[in-house]
Each structure stands twice: as C-alpha cells, then as structure tokens.
Amino acid sequence: MVTIYDVAKKANVSPMTVSRVINRSPSISEKTRLKVEAAIRELDYIPNKQARSLISKATRLVSLVIPDISNPFFTRLTRGAEDKALEAGYQLLLGNSDESADKEAQYIELLLSSGVDGVLLAPAGDGSAAALNKLTKRGVPFVFVDRIAEGAACDRVIGDNADTTGRLVRHLVSLGHRRIALVNGPSSISIARERLAAFREALQREELGFDPALVIETHFKQDNLEDIVRQLVTLAPEARPTAILAANNFIGVNTIRALRQLDLAVPEDISVACFDDPEPIPEYNPFLTVAAQPAYEMGYKGMQMLIERMERAAPDAPRTVVLASDIIVRRSTAAPPSSRL
Amino acid sequence: MVTIYDVAKKANVSPMTVSRVINRSPSISEKTRLKVEAAIRELDYIPNKQARSLISKATRLVSLVIPDISNPFFTRLTRGAEDKALEAGYQLLLGNSDESADKEAQYIELLLSSGVDGVLLAPAGDGSAAALNKLTKRGVPFVFVDRIAEGAACDRVIGDNADTTGRLVRHLVSLGHRRIALVNGPSSISIARERLAAFREALQREELGFDPALVIETHFKQDNLEDIVRQLVTLAPEARPTAILAANNFIGVNTIRALRQLDLAVPEDISVACFDDPEPIPEYNPFLTVAAQPAYEMGYKGMQMLIERMERAAPDAPRTVVLASDIIVRRSTAAPPSSRL
DNA sequence: TATCGTTATGTTATCGGTAACATGAACTTA
DNA sequence: TAAGTTCATGTTACCGATAACATAACGATA
C-alpha cells in the first residue's frame, strides 16, 4: 500500500508537506506543490480514509435504513437520498429492516461501530426508539423520512397523510361511495396511525359513519390478502364496502389480486385506491388510482437535512418538512354498483 | 468517545487485556474477562472500526455497484447481495452507475479511498475495464453479476442468455411468428451482445432469416420508445414484425406503452415478450410474457463468490456461474394476426 | 525449595494520517 | 547589516486499536 511516507520520500519532502498539499493548505509553494502532485500521480497514491477518520472522527459515511427496498416507493426514496449524499461527498450504507424493529436495532448497532456520521431512517415502528437512543447518546444525528418513531425529537420529512387521505376519501365519495373500507398497515407505524385518524376525520367531514368493521390492519409488505378481503366482501350487503382504500402500493396491488381470486371485478364490483405508485408500470395499463407521494424528494430532502445536522448547519430545534402528494385517478375507481343500477 | 483505554482504567487492567477480551483470546482468566465485560457494558463501549482497519487492512465493507436501482431486477439482486453480505458480517455500500461508465469510474475511485474489501459489480459497459484495473492493482477483488466487462478475468454470475433467448424465440415461433424484432440494449453491454448473438442463432435454428432492420438498439433504462417502435411497425407489411422481443423489463414495458400510443393492441396486433419481470405487479393483471431471471440468487451467489475471494477461500482461476431463467407465458404473446384470419 | 513450564497480563511500537508546535529561509525595515 | 516579520517546511506526538515481544504469577516437578 502506498502511504503518505512513500510520496514524501519520492518528492523529497516531509509527510506533513504531502498532507498539506492533499488538503490544499495555502502555505505551500507552487514549486513543492507541483513536485508533490507529481509524486502522488506517479505512485498512484490514494489517501487512507481510515487513518484520516481516526483523527477527524468523521467517516463521511451515512446510512439509509428502510423497511423494504423491494418496494418501489423506497427505491425512489433511496435514489433521492443517494444523489444528495454523493453530491455532498458522503457515501451511502444501505440497510433493510424488513419492517422488523429487531433487525433495525441490530443494524443500528452495526452502524454505531462503523462510525457512520448520520442515519436517515424510515423506522419500522415505535419500537425503534430504544435503538435511536443509542445513536443520540453517541451524538450520531438521524432524520426520519416517510415515517416517525414516537419519542425521538429529530428532523423529519413526511408526507401529508391527513390531506392526502382526505382527498382520496373525497374522490371516492364524489363517485358515490358511502361505505369505504381501509386496509391499513400496522398501528405501530406512524403513517398507519395518521392515515387511520385522517380516515375517520374525512368520513366525519363527509358525514359518513365510521364502522370499525371496515378497518383492517395488515402488513405493508407483499402479502396474501385473500382472507382479509374476503372478510370485507362477505359482509351483509348493507354493511359491505363498495370501495377499498389501501394504505400503500403493495396492499393496493394485493387487494386487487385478492379480489380477482374472489371473482370480483375492479372497478365494476368494487373500487380500489391506494397510497404510493406501484412502479415501474404505473401507466402501461392504467389501473390503480393512487396518491403518489414524492418519494425521490423525500429521500433527497431528508438527506439534505441530515447533512445540515451532521455539519452543524441546522438550528437546534427539530424541523418538520411535509410534502404533498398527487392524486392520480386511473381505472380502479368508479361509481359503486348500486348507483349504476 | 469511550475508548479501550477508558475500559482498561475502569477494569483496572491494561488496554491489551481489554483487546483480548473483545477478540475472545483464549488466554484470559474467567475473572478478568467478567471484570472487563462489566466495564464494557457499564461504559457502553463500542470498538472503533477505523482504528482496527488501520492495522488489519480490512474494513468489512463491500460495495454493490449497479446501473439502476429503480429497476426491480436490480432491486432483487440487491436484496440477495445484502442478505449474503450481512450474513458474513460485511456491510453494503450502494452505488448507482446510471448505466454510465463515467459515473461508474468515479464511484470506483471513491470506493478505493473508502477501502472497501471487495466490489460486486454489474458493469455499465466495456468501458469499465480501466476503472477495474485500478481495483486489481490495489488488490481489491471484484465479481461480475448479470453482466461482464471484456478484459477482466474474474468470477462472474450471469444468466443463461443463449438458452433463454432461444426459448423465448421458440415460444414466439411456436405461436406462428415468422418475423420477430429485437429491441436490444446498447452493444457496449455484454448481455445485449449475447442476446443478439443468441437471437441470430435461434432464428437460424428455426430456419428463419435474419433481418438487420428488425434489430434496434436503445437503452436499458426508462425511455420513450415511440420513435423506435414506429420505425418497426411502419415497415412494409411483408417486412413488418409480428412480435417484439425486448431485451429487458423496462424496454418491454415501454414497448407496450409505445404500441398503445400508436393504437396497436397487444397481443392482437403484435406480440411482446421480454427479459426480466417488471415487478412488483407481475401478475395482478397478467400481461408481459417474460423470461424471469433469478435476480435474488444472482446477487446472493455473486456476493458469496466475492466473499470467498476476499477471504482467499477460492481457487485462483476465475469461476463462472450460469443461472437459468423461467419463461413465464402471460397475455402479451399470442398467434400473429395473419394466422388468425 | 529451586527450577521449569504454563498461563495471564503488561509494554512498546506501529498502522497512516494530521494538529500543534518548532525551525529555517527569505524578505523587510530602520 | 542586525533585528523583526512572514512564509514554507519539518518534528513530535497522538488518534484507537493490536502484533510482537516481555514479564509476572502460578503451579508442577524433582
């Protein structure tokens, strides 16, 4: 391995002078600089980041911890985070928590020893708080994206769940739906709680009753939803929902799949709308009506805020950035069967 | 920051003893071990990886460099690579090359200074060779997944492009197609070359002529293919293809989108088949006939081979692993219009 | 009990950089 | 031309861990 000493010897200067050249110290004569730069090139010298980190206490590594990289929503978020990180000279350590607080905690433990300078996190649930305390204790800043964990006062970039849910409900109501079901994620996850609360409020605003039987909790990940959907569509006709609101793209896709297994047509028999676009085929066969959250922007903005924290360029008080969604109406929503009689 | 010295002082031993406890050296008395472990717990000590790397020359960081994480094929590959890496105690640095050899080279430069122990790479093209030479020069092992770059003798995990292409062509021919177009990726990428070669051979085997006008090169990334597809479908009737083979999932999806813009129905007017599944909605509306490559396995196996290299547990000679694909016939392929008259 | 062999622990030097201080050379200025 | 400045460069020590060697402690053996 070529070290700063090899370069120094070759250029006939002290290692410190080489270090100064590398770090663009102003007090270096043009002549020495050129001499050292030539030696660096000749030896193909690359500074050792580990040695540097040992002194500077900074690794220029950041981590992005997400629940599921196979979800296109998080893929786009990752792109945004990576772009911003590279732009600012940081490298990205990727971690999947698989929606498990345990795996997440394990991963954070690992990050602590890797000496990451900061963590961008879509927490698996409120159980994340304990692991996050360790980060705080070590002075490693972190920022929430998409979701938050209760009990941690930090920057966050989140979607406007209240507004988005309200608009999705209004869209369905305007088509004539009066009984809308919500297939939600686990209530241990902030966005699931927020979407449920917003759902109740939206129903109230539309002067529709809230029926707990029409709210079902499942996972945000790929799953077979046949049982859950059957439960909804086999309710008595007057209790049966005419539309299903899915709390994320996977639930949306799997709801449609389950409906098909149950021989129900979308949107003829029942309408479906969901949060987040199931890319990469959002439109080749326009199907799901969705609330498309700005995933890339969330990642980008989240990383930006994290970098500001790491570089102590942010105010002490935690900041919250709320990003709006676009409602994209496609073919999975239509007037309910009854109104078409 | 809590160091090994703090622990040593607290436990009333020398730093070396603490180091021995951490590294499970056998020659440590039970009594001392417990004492030191207590101090570690009490102080919440975490070893500093940077300092360790300085001596060991190993960072336990590996990098995965892929052309495009927004492609579900690479997402699944990433999952596989990450799972295997974590299993073996390595952490994953993620890099997107965006199909650009320049970005890739820049990224590899960055990796060199981060001191990664190895690189798993789906090269952006043959232009990658130069950057890879630098890795070789520094003794950083790398392994190709999915694609290879000419001029680098290293382990590789690739799909069986010849066989897969042959089977896709046979599927189309068996439906009655005689004129099949290939919308391929850039010929600077190995899989595009292999698929083209296999395509020619398959046509020959099926005793069909090869028409260069029916082979078009485009990008593997999201793109508007309307011009390209128009070029194909506006050929004279006797020269016009009745089926299009797309060299990856994005090209497949975008071909169908383009056909729709041109008011052509799939599969009634023209059939489409492609490599790689456009997840996450492969089946909720069965559409694309695809050759599904085992992406997860590619990532997993590739990482495994890389780890073997890094830990010098592999034979010197480069190894090649070829993984077969599944042909999944869905609704985008059918008999050509003529045969249905 | 003197000697030896283990086993457990400590000391010193080092990995590759850089901060902090020291020094030397060149240039002013009186 | 001697003293004071300024600028360029070198020296020394240290970041946090550990390899290599040194030594202390202990029990076994004659």
Side-chain angles (χ1 to χ4, degrees), chain A residues 283-303:
Chain A
E283 57 154 311
Y284 86 89
N285 184 30
F287 216 91
L288 267 166
T289 292
V290 302
Q293 296 195 95
Y296 181 91
E297 286 71 22
M298 271 193 194
Y300 193 91
K301 186 73 193 168
M303 185 55 73

Side-chain angles (χ1 to χ4, degrees), chain A residues 177-239:
Chain A
H177 295 277
R178 314 289 299 163
R179 300 194 57 78
I180 303 169
L182 173 67
V183 182
N184 205 359
S187 61
S188 61
I189 298 179
S190 66
I191 50 175
R193 288 195 300 271
E194 287 172 23
R195 285 167 194 179
L196 172 58
F199 180 66
R200 294 187 73 149
E201 276 168 36
L203 291 182
Q204 198 159 35
R205 211 164 32 240
E206 305 292 342
E207 295 181 347
L208 296 174
F210 172 76
D211 180 354
L214 295 190
V215 173
I216 299 191
E217 236 181 67
T218 179
H219 303 288
F220 275 134
K221 295 181 63 180
Q222 291 278 24
D223 211 356
N224 187 340
L225 297 185
E226 197 174 334
D227 290 345
I228 283 175
V229 170
R230 179 181 298 114
Q231 200 179 318
L232 286 173
V233 298
T234 52
L235 287 170
E238 70 281 5

Side-chain angles (χ1 to χ4, degrees), chain A residues 44 49 69 75 79 82 91-94 96 98 113-114 138 260 278-280 283-285 287, chain B residues 44 49 69 75 79 82 91-94 96 98 113-114 138 253 260 279-281 283-285 287:
Chain A
D44 220 353
K49 271 196 189 164
I69 203 182
T75 301
R79 285 298 306 236
E82 198 206 359
Q91 273 185 279
L92 199 67
L93 272 175
L94 184 68
N96 268 290
D98 267 330
S113 73
S114 313
R138 281 222 161 43
R260 200 153 36 88
E279 295 209 65
E283 57 154 311
Y284 86 89
N285 184 30
F287 216 91
Chain B
D44 220 352
K49 270 196 189 163
I69 203 180
T75 301
R79 285 298 306 236
E82 198 206 358
Q91 272 185 279
L92 199 67
L93 273 175
L94 184 68
N96 267 291
D98 267 329
S113 73
S114 313
R138 283 222 161 44
V253 166
R260 201 153 36 87
E279 295 211 65
I281 8 181
E283 58 154 307
Y284 87 90
N285 184 31
F287 217 91

Side-chain angles (χ1 to χ4, degrees), chain A residues 143-164:
Chain A
V143 169
F144 290 142
V145 270
D146 180 47
R147 319 161 163 192
I148 63 165
E150 291 301 338
C154 63
D155 293 337
R156 55 198 62 190
V157 181
I158 50 180
D160 192 340
N161 289 302
D163 177 66
T164 304

Side-chain angles (χ1 to χ4, degrees), chain B residues 213-230:
Chain B
L214 295 191
V215 173
I216 299 191
E217 235 180 67
T218 178
H219 303 288
F220 275 136
K221 295 181 61 181
Q222 291 277 25
D223 211 356
N224 187 342
L225 298 185
E226 198 172 336
D227 290 345
I228 284 176
V229 171
R230 180 182 296 114

Side-chain angles (χ1 to χ4, degrees), chain B residues 35-56:
Chain B
K35 200 168 54 174
V36 170
E37 283 174 350
I40 288 178
R41 241 175 295 113
E42 228 171 302
L43 294 176
D44 220 352
Y45 165 77
I46 294 182
N48 180 319
K49 270 196 189 163
Q50 275 68 45
R52 217 176 236 180
S53 299
L54 201 53
I55 296 176
S56 72

Side-chain angles (χ1 to χ4, degrees), chain A residues 1-2 43-51 53-54 57 59 61-63 67-72 75-76 78-79 82-83 86 89-96 98 103 107 109-116 134 137-138 221-222 249-250 253 256-257 260-261 278-288 331, chain B residues 1-2 43-51 53-54 57 59 61-63 67-72 75-76 78-79 82-83 86 89-96 98 103 107 109-116 134 137-138 221-222 249-250 253 256-257 260-261 278-288 331:
Chain A
M1 177 186 257
V2 180
L43 295 175
D44 220 353
Y45 165 75
I46 294 183
N48 180 319
K49 271 196 189 164
Q50 275 68 45
S53 298
L54 202 51
K57 309 297 185 222
T59 55
L61 284 177
V62 290
S63 181
D68 184 9
I69 203 182
S70 57
N71 188 325
T75 301
R76 287 192 294 151
T78 301
R79 285 298 306 236
E82 198 206 359
D83 283 357
L86 274 183
Y90 289 86
Q91 273 185 279
L92 199 67
L93 272 175
L94 184 68
N96 268 290
D98 267 330
K103 263 192 98 174
Y107 197 78
E109 201 72 39
L110 200 58
L111 292 180
L112 242 17
S113 73
S114 313
V116 292
K134 293 199 180 177
K137 215 189 255 172
R138 281 222 161 43
K221 295 181 63 180
Q222 291 278 24
N249 49 3
F250 280 178
V253 166
I256 289 184
R257 184 179 299 165
R260 200 153 36 88
Q261 282 163 349
E279 295 209 65
I281 7 182
E283 57 154 311
Y284 86 89
N285 184 30
F287 216 91
L288 267 166
R331 293 212 219 112
Chain B
M1 177 186 260
V2 181
L43 294 176
D44 220 352
Y45 165 77
I46 294 182
N48 180 319
K49 270 196 189 163
Q50 275 68 45
S53 299
L54 201 53
K57 310 297 185 220
T59 56
L61 284 178
V62 290
S63 181
D68 185 9
I69 203 180
S70 57
N71 187 326
T75 301
R76 287 192 294 152
T78 301
R79 285 298 306 236
E82 198 206 358
D83 283 357
L86 275 182
Y90 287 87
Q91 272 185 279
L92 199 67
L93 273 175
L94 184 68
N96 267 291
D98 267 329
K103 264 191 98 173
Y107 196 78
E109 202 72 40
L110 200 58
L111 293 180
L112 243 17
S113 73
S114 313
V116 291
K134 293 202 179 173
K137 216 189 256 171
R138 283 222 161 44
K221 295 181 61 181
Q222 291 277 25
N249 49 4
F250 279 178
V253 166
I256 290 185
R257 185 179 300 166
R260 201 153 36 87
Q261 283 163 348
E279 295 211 65
I281 8 181
E283 58 154 307
Y284 87 90
N285 184 31
F287 217 91
L288 268 166
R331 292 212 219 113

